[in-house]
Amino acid sequence: MKWSRRDFLKVVAGSGGIGVIGATQVDRLLGLGRKPEGKPIYVPTVCEMCFWRCGVIAKVVDGKVVKLDGHPAHPQSRGKLCARGHGGIGLLYDPDRLKHPLIRVGQRGEGKFKKASWDEALNYVAEKMLKIKETYGPESVALFTHGTISTYFIHLLWAYGSPNLGMPSYALCRGARDIAFKLTFGAPVGNPERADLKNSKVIVLMGFHIGENAHNSMCQEFAEAVGKGATVIVVDPRFSTAASKAKYWLPIKPATDLALLLAWINVIITEGLYDKEYVAKYTEGFDKLAEAVKEYTPQWAEKETDIPVSLIIETARIMGKNKPSVLIHPGRHTAWYGDNTQRVRAIAILTALLGAYGRPGGIYLPPKNPLSEYGFGDFCGVPYPEHQKPEINKGPYPFTEEEGVIPEIIKATLTEKPYPIKGWLITGTNLIKSTPNQRDTIEAIKKLDLVVAVDMMPFDHVLYADVVLPECTYLERYDDIFVVKERSIGLALRQPVVNPMYDTKPGWWIAKELGVRLGLKEYFPYNDFEDFLKAKCEALGLNFEELKQKGYIEIPGTANPYINESSEVKFKTPSGKIELYSKQLEEAGFPPIPTYTKHEQPPKGYFRLIYGRVPVHTFSRTTNNPSLWELMKENAAWLNAKVAKKLGLKNGDYVVLVNQDGVKSNKVKLKVTERIRPDCVYVPHGFGSFSPMLKRAYLNGADDQQLITRYAVDPISGSVGMRINFVKIEKA
């Protein structure tokens, strides 16, 4: 379906035209009407330093970006940027950037390349892909992708004829969460999450690190809620930044979170603290739920979680007392163990019992969207070819979505079952640093006929590529129009603020030129990307020049955050209600109500390896950034102070972590602290790059992913649990 111009214009006509938030303020900030000679010019665009994609105002002087600020009208920035957002300048001017196409001349992994022209590099890739297609079929090429570039390369993959797509953001991060909320409410919780933090009276964070993940607008709303006196409950083995703002820190035993959630549900039901009217009107399966959770008492949960009975009951009562303005945050990285979907299902069920879905302070409803989907496939008007072989990327997991399960593709590459995978396209993701069991990934690469890396920086996986195609940074390119779905629908434009440096190209151009060489020209019916954007704006009834000038435009009348007395809400579940008891799960052979499963605990002398983020870095993608590297050059392994004393270790010592399979980390500095349980070691993710082409990040700190040699796949969603690894500590 194409965008419905008629429906869109109805909305516009009904509200007196398209509204631009804070237009006067934006005009002043952009300096509209200024002449560029000898003066700064201000260009709005969209950040790509992380997936939050904040609105940005770039200050440009004499063709050089000198400052970045948050766009005041964009709801994901609200006039502010995080450290990583400001680091966009560091990315643009990083001397280690990929500067021109490369073709491998050494062995895979050696990082030996020759400089190539774009024609030479693209022809090389196209010839290999056509040969794979002829010999094995198009399904034998797989794509691993992340970020905005995914739009263009997924389109290319599907036009080529392969369904085998893997996105780390799904199976290794949010997949279980999305499936759990769809099973319960009929829709995922959104990206960004529809968390009504600023109106919450109680905020519950379970392993979700607001302030360390630096999700801009969410951090701002969290600060606003804390300033208003919201009660914060943090469940985490580690005293995180968010825990420092909490009234309650529950240092839970890792792998027992579901026990605590089930006990909370037990207390909420047995003490009658649930929203009876809401539950009766909007939910289905309450009686079965009440019966199922009788055994999960606070007394039972105390033995599992190490959380005292009194705290379990007290925190449950606080939630019940403050309903419905309670946010049990669904999290983002939910790939922990083998029961990820059921754990997040318990969060969704607790949210429903408190009447917090679609109510102020809980999870707000998705905005009204007058815009039908209008992607590349719709624009070209040519249907994708039908697949001749079954998709591998979904594996045997019945609720997995098209973003796929990366280990399934890697396994198929290794075994050539159910058919061979012979080519990998890797775009916008450092595959070595994101997938569990790096040894399998590297062994799979050795079996391939073609490995293509499209990226801006020479990350670890680039060393294994046959061809490297350098993408220009987000400050140097156009991208597809972003539909921003916060409380309202808005449209944001990424546009170049400076000309591309070096011999680099936008992702859309790389995909198009490769498509033409693959005989797929009809799927890319534009000569310049502005043609595509102008056509899209015309279909929307928008003025492209105005969007370029303003950077962000909100569609009025689309906010629909809360259930109200006059509205009839129907959930997109089979029953049309919130499903506390899931017949979909039951029919697929899974427990329809979450049941507790025990997980292995660390053997004697070992600690559970847990990992997370830091506010100044986006995983491994910024550890070489000149601006951000100065703020944090290496990570540190957190260890409980009493344990450190027993082991004869002190703060600042360098140690080596050795996992249960004998894999050793680089040396890493020790952070001795009372802020972590004695059975855990915590390591910030993304450090310890082994690519010598990254001169600042090379071998700085420990690579936690290297130690994740084991994983557990959730049988419902295919989510890949990576917190099942244990480490011991040796002096470096």
Side-chain angles (χ1 to χ4, degrees):
M1 286 170 49
K2 293 189 177 182
W3 298 79
S4 173
R5 180 175 178 177
R6 180 179 298 173
D7 289 344
F8 182 84
L9 291 177
K10 282 181 183 177
V11 174
V12 175
S15 57
I18 297 172
V20 180
I21 301 175
T24 304
Q25 182 185 9
V26 175
D27 288 349
R28 285 199 300 269
L29 185 57
L30 299 184
L32 298 179
R34 291 184 182 180
K35 295 189 180 299
E37 294 85 1
K39 293 183 179 180
I41 59 171
Y42 297 83
V43 185
T45 190
V46 177
C47 184
E48 183 91 352
M49 294 301 288
C50 81
F51 68 86
W52 211 252
R53 293 179 183 149
C54 295
V56 172
I57 305 295
K59 180 180 179 180
V60 183
V61 178
D62 296 329
K64 184 177 178 66
V65 182
V66 297
K67 195 172 190 298
L68 299 174
D69 286 299
H71 196 309
H74 197 294
Q76 286 164 236
S77 53
R78 307 176 190 187
K80 297 179 175 67
L81 288 182
C82 69
R84 291 175 292 177
H86 286 291
I89 296 176
L91 171 64
L92 177 64
Y93 298 116
D94 190 335
D96 293 344
R97 274 181 61 182
L98 293 167
K99 299 178 176 69
H100 41 70
L102 301 170
I103 294 177
R104 178 174 59 84
V105 293
Q107 297 297 311
R108 283 182 180 148
E110 286 186 326
K112 293 182 179 179
F113 300 97
K114 68 173 184 178
K115 183 178 178 181
S117 68
W118 276 101
D119 275 341
E120 184 182 7
L122 290 168
N123 289 340
Y124 182 107
V125 175
E127 287 170 14
K128 289 279 189 179
M129 288 182 68
L130 289 170
K131 186 174 181 180
I132 291 170
K133 188 174 189 177
E134 181 182 353
T135 307
Y136 302 101
E139 297 86 357
S140 290
V141 170
L143 168 67
F144 302 96
T145 189
H146 189 258
T148 306
I149 196 171
S150 303
T151 301
Y152 321 119
F153 273 84
I154 292 172
H155 174 65
L156 175 67
L157 183 80
W158 289 347
Y160 176 75
S162 175
N164 290 316
L165 159 69
M167 299 183 74
S169 57
Y170 177 78
L172 307 179
C173 195
R174 58 174 174 76
R177 181 199 74 183
D178 290 357
I179 299 304
F181 268 71
K182 284 181 74 173
L183 288 167
T184 310
F185 298 104
V189 73
N191 181 21
E193 299 80 31
R194 299 192 309 276
D196 197 21
L197 279 156
K198 67 180 181 181
N199 295 310
S200 296
K201 295 178 181 177
V202 177
I203 298 169
V204 182
L205 305 174
M206 301 194 73
F208 185 71
H209 310 138
I210 290 180
E212 294 172 353
N213 55 28
H215 298 165
N216 190 345
S217 53
M218 190 170 288
C219 289
Q220 292 185 52
E221 286 207 12
F222 180 65
E224 189 176 339
V226 170
K228 289 180 181 177
T231 297
V232 179
I233 302 167
V234 171
V235 181
D236 203 311
R238 180 178 63 92
F239 192 81
S240 63
T241 299
S244 70
K245 313 300 177 190
K247 182 175 181 179
Y248 298 94
W249 173 42
L250 279 57
I252 195 168
K253 181 194 294 184
T256 66
D257 304 79
L258 184 51
L260 177 61
L261 286 161
L262 291 169
W264 274 342
I265 292 171
N266 175 293
V267 174
I268 293 292
I269 291 176
T270 57
E271 295 193 6
L273 298 172
Y274 61 96
D275 189 323
K276 298 176 182 63
E277 183 180 349
Y278 183 97
V279 167
K281 185 174 182 180
Y282 295 114
T283 75
E284 183 171 276
F286 174 78
D287 291 340
K288 292 178 180 178
L289 173 67
E291 183 63 30
V293 299
K294 281 182 178 178
E295 63 181 294
Y296 300 124
T297 64
Q299 291 75 20
W300 164 83
E302 179 185 57
K303 297 174 184 176
E304 295 293 324
T305 64
D306 287 348
I307 307 299
V309 169
S310 58
L311 265 181
I312 295 173
I313 294 173
E314 184 178 351
T315 48
R317 287 173 176 170
I318 286 170
M319 286 185 259
K321 179 182 176 182
N322 288 279
K323 66 178 182 293
S325 299
V326 179
L327 176 69
I328 304 105
H329 202 290
R332 187 166 187 91
H333 175 70
T334 55
W336 299 355
Y337 310 108
D339 57 358
N340 301 315
T341 304
Q342 293 288 30
R343 187 185 73 252
V344 186
R345 265 271 293 159
I347 290 175
I349 288 168
L350 186 55
T351 298
L353 291 175
L354 295 167
Y357 190 88
R359 307 282 279 281
I363 301 292
Y364 61 82
L365 299 175
K368 300 173 184 175
N369 189 355
L371 311 173
S372 301
E373 289 301 323
Y374 183 60
F376 270 51
D378 300 305
F379 184 74
C380 71
V382 183
Y384 295 122
E386 292 186 8
H387 308 134
Q388 302 302 308
K389 297 177 183 177
E391 55 200 3
I392 288 172
N393 61 329
K394 293 185 180 179
Y397 314 110
F399 294 95
T400 302
E401 299 193 329
E402 65 187 14
E403 294 99 326
V405 180
I406 284 177
E408 289 295 316
I409 299 174
I410 294 172
K411 183 170 67 175
T413 306
L414 286 167
T415 64
E416 300 194 348
K417 295 178 181 178
Y419 51 84
I421 297 290
K422 289 296 181 180
W424 285 4
L425 307 177
I426 307 170
T427 68
T429 180
N430 188 352
L431 195 64
I432 301 291
K433 279 286 191 291
S434 59
T435 54
N437 200 341
Q438 290 178 359
R439 290 175 297 182
D440 276 1
T441 304
I442 292 169
E443 286 302 310
I445 286 172
K446 292 177 182 178
K447 295 177 67 71
L448 293 166
D449 293 347
L450 176 67
V451 182
V452 180
V454 185
D455 220 312
M456 292 169 278
M457 297 295 300
F459 295 118
D460 304 67
H461 72 282
V462 169
L463 301 181
Y464 293 88
D466 300 316
V467 180
V468 182
L469 304 176
E471 185 186 24
C472 56
T473 72
Y474 76 89
L475 291 168
E476 303 166 289
R477 68 178 193 245
Y478 276 117
D479 270 315
D480 197 4
I481 295 170
F482 297 104
V483 180
V484 181
K485 299 178 183 178
E486 286 230 352
R487 289 173 176 83
S488 298
I489 293 285
L491 299 167
L493 178 67
R494 175 177 291 148
Q495 60 183 319
V497 303
V498 290
N499 292 324
M501 297 175 65
Y502 315 116
D503 192 13
T504 61
K505 300 290 185 181
W508 63 263
W509 184 93
I510 300 170
K512 174 184 182 295
E513 290 298 316
L514 187 53
V516 169
R517 287 163 172 81
L518 290 170
L520 305 172
K521 185 176 181 180
E522 68 271 26
Y523 289 92
F524 299 89
Y526 52 86
N527 295 318
D528 186 271
F529 206 65
E530 275 199 58
D531 296 344
F532 174 81
L533 296 175
K534 287 175 181 176
K536 198 164 190 176
C537 283
E538 184 178 352
L540 283 166
L542 281 176
N543 184 311
F544 176 63
E545 292 304 319
E546 181 185 19
L547 186 59
K548 283 181 66 175
Q549 195 175 65
K550 303 298 185 184
Y552 177 80
I553 292 176
E554 181 181 331
I555 301 176
T558 56
N560 183 43
Y562 310 126
I563 295 171
N564 57 62
E565 296 300 323
S566 62
S567 65
E568 283 296 323
V569 179
K570 183 167 182 178
F571 299 90
K572 294 179 181 179
T573 57
S575 65
K577 292 190 172 186
I578 300 168
E579 298 196 345
L580 308 176
Y581 182 100
S582 173
K583 291 181 180 177
Q584 292 183 82
L585 285 175
E586 185 177 47
E587 290 168 359
F590 300 108
I593 292 170
T595 57
Y596 182 64
T597 50
K598 283 181 175 286
H599 299 289
E600 183 183 0
Q601 294 299 319
K604 187 176 180 180
Y606 282 80
F607 308 88
R608 185 178 297 276
L609 176 65
I610 57 176
Y611 50 84
R613 302 186 67 176
V614 294
V616 298
H617 284 298
T618 303
F619 314 124
S620 64
R621 297 196 67 79
T622 61
T623 54
N624 198 74
N625 185 296
S627 307
L628 303 176
W629 176 81
E630 288 186 355
L631 299 175
M632 187 173 183
K633 298 179 181 180
E634 60 181 327
N635 56 359
W638 292 36
L639 183 67
N640 180 271
K642 291 181 180 178
V643 173
K645 185 176 181 180
K646 186 177 178 181
L647 294 175
L649 299 169
K650 60 183 184 298
N651 192 57
D653 283 351
Y654 276 93
V655 298
V656 172
L657 305 179
V658 185
N659 81 351
Q660 70 282 329
D661 297 320
V663 175
K664 293 187 176 184
S665 72
N666 298 334
K667 69 175 184 177
V668 61
K669 189 179 291 186
L670 204 61
K671 178 173 181 173
V672 175
T673 176
E674 290 82 12
R675 293 168 55 190
I676 191 168
R677 283 177 56 97
D679 53 359
C680 302
V681 167
Y682 169 78
V683 180
H685 173 66
F687 292 80
S689 172
F690 57 76
S691 172
M693 300 164 77
L694 299 171
K695 296 182 179 60
R696 284 171 294 278
Y698 181 57
L699 299 182
N700 275 342
D703 176 10
D704 60 305
Q705 204 72 33
Q706 183 182 18
L707 299 167
I708 298 174
T709 53
R710 300 184 185 183
Y711 57 91
V713 181
D714 177 1
I716 297 172
S717 64
S719 175
V720 181
M722 296 183 286
R723 292 190 177 176
I724 65 168
N725 291 270
F726 309 120
V727 294
K728 61 182 179 180
I729 301 172
E730 297 178 355
K731 283 192 174 181

